[in-house]
Amino acid sequence: MLAEIITIGDEILIGQIVDTNSAWMAQQLNNAGISVKQISSVSDDKQHILTALAEAAKRADIILITGGLGPTKDDITKNTLAEYFGVGMVENQAALDNVLRIFEKYNRPMLDINRLQAQVPANCEVIVNKNGTAPGMWFNQDGKIYMSMPGVPFEMMYLMEEEVIPKLKTLFKLPVIIHKTILTVGEGESFLAERIADIEDSLPAHIKLAYLPKLGSVRLRLSGHGDNENELRAEINDYAAKIVERVGNFVVAEEDIPLEKAILNYMTEKGLTLSVAESCTGGYISHLFTQHAGSSKVFFGGAISYSYELKESILGVKNETLWQHGAVSEETVVEMVEGALLNFKSDYAIAVTGIAGPDGGLPDKPVGTVWIAVASAKKTVKKKFTFGNKRQQNIERSATSALFMLNNLLKDVEK
Amino acid sequence: MLAEIITIGDEILIGQIVDTNSAWMAQQLNNAGISVKQISSVSDDKQHILTALAEAAKRADIILITGGLGPTKDDITKNTLAEYFGVGMVENQAALDNVLRIFEKYNRPMLDINRLQAQVPANCEVIVNKNGTAPGMWFNQDGKIYMSMPGVPFEMMYLMEEEVIPKLKTLFKLPVIIHKTILTVGEGESFLAERIADIEDSLPAHIKLAYLPKLGSVRLRLSGHGDNENELRAEINDYAAKIVERVGNFVVAEEDIPLEKAILNYMTEKGLTLSVAESCTGGYISHLFTQHAGSSKVFFGGAISYSYELKESILGVKNETLWQHGAVSEETVVEMVEGALLNFKSDYAIAVTGIAGPDGGLPDKPVGTVWIAVASAKKTVKKKFTFGNKRQQNIERSATSALFMLNNLLKDVEK
């Protein structure tokens, strides 16, 4: 069973927003046993939408469409769908009731253009959108399913989870698709490939191996298609076990999780706690940890010490250290990490101080200079990095490097 | 001049990664006067890539391709391009020198599969990728430009900025594309549309208006095409001025920046400073501010107080307040925000404490309960929110709500 996703909206094509909806939808579809053949982003242009619908229908059985359902003039998806199917527009009572309910709930007067939200192509089944005024619209035409949803993420997510996926499961006997991901850290893509070349060559046609490198880590992903879930899972697990046996030193997780989640899992299991002292990463490392459910078991919190004063008052960095060596120095990062351990009373701590840029560089400390330290009561490790001159990349690479260093320290001290 | 972007890789179609490259590339192209007609993500499948290339070439003059250039077996873009153009593969000396240079730099032995990185389709012009071993490949065939780049963001970004965009500018006389965005907060999309209906109706055909709503804010974007940059800019600025005059109360920025950047700009101009006390947002608010260059002029930093202990020790929240009212309470959030003001010595502070979930809910405080306070020396404003049960959404909605509250307080106190 193949699906395509079409996202409609000029804001994607001019790069004003990143399309995060499609990846989320693709995950949901894959979990249900539906492969995504293509994701296309097209403009708010009638002819272009019509072409995209026709091309998608040639390749796929299910076409999911997001965007272009607002009440304003630039939103043309609904009328274009009516034209595509050769039908007129009708007012739908359930959609209208939903619009009325929402305006009542927020106690706002309803405008004429809001009432237009209840107009839908005559051949559609309305799927009520409890989180917004734009209705979901389901079409079953010429053996293909089309589903049009709003582009607002939490409205789309509700419709997908509660309505679309369950409906597709009742309509089709879906094949089994299983992915298994192994997260490795510390070895390059081509070296991993060489080490497991014979395992890769022995894979049957219905199981594929992919290498997904990202800033020093590589995910190895096995993907299989089949009919029998248990058999396929056992088969994929066998190949995964062979790979893990071969490259075990570099494996930090045998599931599709990011490195900080692997660290959280490890620390939770060992009953260890963590705090941070972030300067140039400005909260990003904390955000990486705290986005995961259950992080509060491990993560106490910490300081974002952008200013000299906060480095002194919260972390206990000495005034003379800052003035003598500077905020971005080995001496300061060590006092920061040890101050975090002491003041926040965690088993482990991370400290980062650097010049994220684009301003603030010095002749001996150019933009991209970053000091990172990780520490436990038993050991402190610190390292200087020289990244580039792009602020966002410096923040991300600092965070990733700090996670690598913490992961190594944990394995070194706790094993 | 029309472009299409094709991203190749199963990881996008199974939702394992979000395609952030395309939005960035689309921005660069738009700034250069090139419109993006469609963005397509396709699988690592030869036939599918061939079809996508042919379809894109029918619609666009420039086809930018990312992904599928790694040294491992799942990467087939290069051979597929050779087949598409009907040519063989050759070893390219510049590409080989680059691979050798990189392995030398990192002092690693080179494998046979790394040498294969220097093989390219015979009809391509190699654009050396200084940041990685996969070469950029430029094709000029039948009046169309094709450019293949690695999917690793910082490699692709380097090639786009330093090579592709400059090369396109010398080849083509590009039209002018200008966007102007007005950020509004506090009024819904349809109400804004009603207020400015006559201005929208008066727009000429070459200027479009789009409404981009997102969690309580709406961006109004004017986009125009033309030949004369100064004339077009003046024309768009005129319409923007009319809109701002009409809905001025809700306007927080007259450029395409997020709310936290508008706040930073306002506070920088007024010489004001900010600190935070984040619990359930776990560093996310700090990250929003500190991702922007120049934020250190305003943002001192603050505390991520995930634990009771840190709320007491860094922020001075009273032990009895926590035990009597709980960490998620009006009393605690007020002590947090006032503690931040006092301890971190900033003019303004934000405090957030809540239950992000999915665990930790209580009968009287379900998951999604969040208290937010913003304060200056003159005034403290606090508010309780009840969001949903999705952790990531609760974090984002808490952050957005805190920004709204701070924006209102600033305008209230400072005007």
Side-chain angles (χ1 to χ4, degrees), chain A residues 353-378:
Chain A
T353 180
I355 302 160
D359 304 318
L362 297 167
D364 57 327
K365 290 173 187 170
V367 167
T369 305
V370 178
W371 273 97
I372 303 179
V374 293
S376 73
K378 291 183 192 154

Side-chain angles (χ1 to χ4, degrees), chain A residues 37 48 73 201 290 391, chain B residues 37 48 73 201 290 391:
Chain A
K37 183 71 181 164
H48 193 189
K73 289 176 195 177
D201 286 337
T290 58
R391 184 178 183 86
Chain B
K37 181 71 181 164
H48 192 190
K73 290 177 194 174
D201 286 336
T290 58
R391 183 178 184 86

Side-chain angles (χ1 to χ4, degrees), chain B residues 79-272:
Chain B
N79 290 311
T80 306
L81 282 166
E83 181 166 336
Y84 179 76
F85 293 117
V87 300
M89 299 289 285
V90 295
E91 185 173 272
N92 180 280
Q93 192 58 44
L96 183 61
D97 290 346
N98 187 53
V99 175
L100 292 167
R101 181 186 62 80
I102 288 176
F103 276 84
E104 205 161 290
K105 182 175 164 192
Y106 293 105
N107 202 14
R108 306 223 40 173
M110 202 172 99
L111 307 175
D112 287 346
I113 56 169
N114 299 121
R115 190 178 178 105
L116 285 178
Q117 294 281 65
Q119 291 273 336
V120 299
N123 65 331
C124 90
E125 177 187 335
V126 165
I127 311 272
V128 172
N129 167 13
K130 292 193 183 157
N131 290 332
T133 54
M137 292 172 287
W138 173 281
F139 305 84
N140 189 338
Q141 187 95 4
D142 303 327
K144 308 275 178 182
I145 301 295
Y146 299 78
M147 173 74 197
S148 163
M149 290 170 280
V152 180
F154 80 99
E155 298 183 24
M156 176 280 291
M157 287 174 177
Y158 164 78
L159 285 169
M160 282 292 287
E161 284 182 334
E162 303 296 325
E163 304 281 353
V164 178
I165 296 288
K167 220 164 143 70
L168 290 172
K169 280 184 176 166
T170 60
L171 271 180
F172 301 108
K173 170 158 174 27
L174 297 169
V176 177
I177 300 181
I178 293 177
H179 302 290
K180 171 139 185 109
T181 300
I182 299 163
L183 175 66
T184 70
V185 165
E187 183 63 296
E189 182 182 4
S190 41
F191 287 86
L192 288 169
E194 202 189 41
R195 279 166 194 262
I196 61 175
D198 58 319
I199 303 174
E200 188 171 0
D201 286 336
S202 73
L203 290 173
H206 66 283
I207 299 182
K208 285 175 76 174
L209 175 66
Y211 297 80
L212 308 167
K214 188 181 167 192
L215 281 182
S217 67
V218 179
R219 285 180 295 175
L220 305 174
R221 190 193 62 227
L222 288 162
S223 306
H225 293 243
D227 294 320
N228 184 311
E229 180 169 349
N230 289 339
E231 275 175 26
L232 182 62
R233 193 177 303 281
E235 202 179 8
I236 285 184
N237 283 344
D238 276 354
Y239 286 108
K242 283 183 193 165
I243 292 171
V244 170
E245 196 190 342
R246 191 70 62 80
V247 296
N249 291 345
F250 306 107
V251 172
V252 286
E254 292 181 42
E255 54 185 319
D256 188 21
I257 54 175
L259 179 53
E260 76 276 2
K261 178 65 175 141
I263 291 173
L264 283 173
N265 289 352
Y266 182 86
M267 294 184 77
T268 303
E269 198 186 296
K270 300 253 175 187
L272 299 168

Side-chain angles (χ1 to χ4, degrees), chain B residues 37-92:
Chain B
K37 181 71 181 164
Q38 180 162 327
I39 299 168
S40 311
S41 298
V42 305
S43 56
D44 292 307
D45 172 277
K46 192 175 74 179
Q47 200 51 54
H48 192 190
I49 297 171
L50 292 173
T51 307
L53 288 168
E55 282 178 358
K58 267 188 246 161
R59 287 182 295 250
D61 315 291
I62 301 162
I63 296 107
L64 300 176
I65 306 145
T66 64
L69 296 183
T72 52
K73 290 177 194 174
D74 55 317
D75 291 308
I76 60 165
T77 300
K78 237 161 40 174
N79 290 311
T80 306
L81 282 166
E83 181 166 336
Y84 179 76
F85 293 117
V87 300
M89 299 289 285
V90 295
E91 185 173 272
N92 180 280

Side-chain angles (χ1 to χ4, degrees), chain B residues 324-340:
Chain B
Q324 205 170 320
H325 303 283
V328 180
S329 65
E330 180 173 355
E331 291 77 5
T332 296
V333 83
V334 169
E335 291 189 21
M336 283 172 71
V337 81
E338 291 175 354

Side-chain angles (χ1 to χ4, degrees), chain A residues 4 10-20 22-24 26-27 30 36-45 48 51-52 55 59 70-75 103 108-109 111 113-114 152-154 157 161 179 181 186-191 193-194 197 200-201 208-213 215 219 221 223 256 276 278 281-284 286-287 290-296 299-307 310 313-314 343-344 357-358 390-393 395 397, chain B residues 4 10-20 22-24 26-27 30 36-45 48 51-52 55 59 70-75 103 108-109 111 113-114 152-154 157 161 179 181 186-191 193-194 197 200-201 208-213 215 219 221 223 256 276 278 280-284 286-287 290-296 299-307 310 313-314 343-344 357-358 390-393 395 397:
Chain A
E4 294 222 358
D10 290 347
E11 64 276 21
I12 296 171
L13 297 172
I14 67 166
Q16 195 158 27
I17 65 164
V18 171
D19 171 25
T20 53
S22 295
W24 186 90
Q27 273 181 1
N30 263 273
V36 176
K37 183 71 181 164
Q38 181 164 328
I39 299 168
S40 310
S41 298
V42 303
S43 56
D44 291 308
D45 171 279
H48 193 189
T51 306
E55 282 177 359
R59 288 182 295 250
T72 51
K73 289 176 195 177
D74 55 317
D75 291 309
F103 276 84
R108 307 229 33 179
L111 307 176
I113 57 169
N114 299 122
V152 180
F154 80 100
M157 287 174 176
E161 283 182 334
H179 301 288
T181 300
E187 183 63 295
E189 182 181 6
S190 42
F191 287 84
E194 201 187 44
E200 187 171 1
D201 286 337
K208 284 175 80 175
L209 175 65
Y211 297 81
L212 309 167
L215 279 182
R219 287 180 294 175
R221 188 193 64 226
S223 306
D256 188 20
V276 296
E278 295 194 59
T281 46
Y284 185 62
S286 300
H287 171 58
T290 58
Q291 69 185 320
H292 299 290
S295 51
S296 59
F299 187 72
F300 281 172
I304 297 165
S305 54
Y306 237 48
S307 66
L310 261 65
S313 66
I314 315 186
N343 294 348
F344 309 148
K390 291 202 190 296
R391 184 178 183 86
Q392 195 54 42
Q393 279 181 24
I395 293 172
R397 294 175 76 177
Chain B
E4 294 223 356
D10 290 348
E11 63 276 20
I12 296 171
L13 296 172
I14 69 168
Q16 195 158 24
I17 64 163
V18 171
D19 171 24
T20 53
S22 295
W24 186 90
Q27 273 180 4
N30 263 272
V36 177
K37 181 71 181 164
Q38 180 162 327
I39 299 168
S40 311
S41 298
V42 305
S43 56
D44 292 307
D45 172 277
H48 192 190
T51 307
E55 282 178 358
R59 287 182 295 250
T72 52
K73 290 177 194 174
D74 55 317
D75 291 308
F103 276 84
R108 306 223 40 173
L111 307 175
I113 56 169
N114 299 121
V152 180
F154 80 99
M157 287 174 177
E161 284 182 334
H179 302 290
T181 300
E187 183 63 296
E189 182 182 4
S190 41
F191 287 86
E194 202 189 41
E200 188 171 0
D201 286 336
K208 285 175 76 174
L209 175 66
Y211 297 80
L212 308 167
L215 281 182
R219 285 180 295 175
R221 190 193 62 227
S223 306
D256 188 21
V276 297
E278 296 194 59
C280 69
T281 45
Y284 185 61
S286 300
H287 171 58
T290 58
Q291 69 185 319
H292 298 289
S295 51
S296 58
F299 188 72
F300 281 172
I304 298 164
S305 54
Y306 239 49
S307 66
L310 262 64
S313 66
I314 313 187
N343 295 347
F344 309 148
K390 292 203 190 294
R391 183 178 184 86
Q392 194 55 42
Q393 278 180 24
I395 293 172
R397 293 175 76 177

Side-chain angles (χ1 to χ4, degrees), chain A residues 69-295:
Chain A
L69 296 183
T72 51
K73 289 176 195 177
D74 55 317
D75 291 309
I76 60 165
T77 301
K78 237 159 42 172
N79 290 312
T80 306
L81 282 165
E83 182 166 335
Y84 179 75
F85 293 118
V87 301
M89 300 290 285
V90 296
E91 185 173 272
N92 180 281
Q93 191 59 46
L96 183 62
D97 290 347
N98 187 53
V99 174
L100 291 167
R101 181 186 62 79
I102 287 177
F103 276 84
E104 206 160 289
K105 183 175 163 193
Y106 293 104
N107 201 16
R108 307 229 33 179
M110 201 172 100
L111 307 176
D112 286 347
I113 57 169
N114 299 122
R115 189 179 178 107
L116 285 179
Q117 294 280 64
Q119 291 274 338
V120 299
N123 66 331
C124 91
E125 179 187 334
V126 164
I127 312 273
V128 172
N129 167 14
K130 291 192 184 157
N131 290 332
T133 54
M137 293 172 285
W138 173 281
F139 304 84
N140 191 337
Q141 187 94 3
D142 304 326
K144 309 274 179 183
I145 301 294
Y146 300 77
M147 174 72 195
S148 163
M149 290 169 280
V152 180
F154 80 100
E155 298 183 23
M156 177 280 292
M157 287 174 176
Y158 164 81
L159 285 168
M160 281 292 288
E161 283 182 334
E162 303 297 325
E163 303 282 354
V164 178
I165 297 288
K167 220 166 144 70
L168 291 172
K169 281 183 176 165
T170 61
L171 269 180
F172 301 107
K173 171 158 174 24
L174 296 170
V176 177
I177 299 181
I178 292 177
H179 301 288
K180 173 141 183 109
T181 300
I182 299 164
L183 175 65
T184 71
V185 166
E187 183 63 295
E189 182 181 6
S190 42
F191 287 84
L192 290 169
E194 201 187 44
R195 279 165 194 263
I196 60 175
D198 59 314
I199 303 173
E200 187 171 1
D201 286 337
S202 74
L203 291 173
H206 65 285
I207 299 182
K208 284 175 80 175
L209 175 65
Y211 297 81
L212 309 167
K214 189 183 164 189
L215 279 182
S217 66
V218 179
R219 287 180 294 175
L220 305 173
R221 188 193 64 226
L222 289 161
S223 306
H225 293 242
D227 294 322
N228 184 310
E229 179 168 350
N230 290 339
E231 275 175 24
L232 182 61
R233 192 176 303 280
E235 203 179 6
I236 285 183
N237 284 343
D238 276 353
Y239 287 107
K242 281 182 195 167
I243 293 171
V244 169
E245 197 191 339
R246 191 71 61 81
V247 297
N249 292 345
F250 306 106
V251 172
V252 286
E254 292 180 43
E255 54 187 317
D256 188 20
I257 55 175
L259 179 53
E260 76 274 1
K261 178 67 174 140
I263 291 173
L264 283 173
N265 290 351
Y266 181 86
M267 294 184 78
T268 304
E269 199 186 293
K270 300 252 174 185
L272 299 169
T273 58
L274 177 68
S275 66
V276 296
E278 295 194 59
S279 182
C280 70
T281 46
Y284 185 62
I285 296 175
S286 300
H287 171 58
L288 288 179
F289 284 116
T290 58
Q291 69 185 320
H292 299 290
S295 51

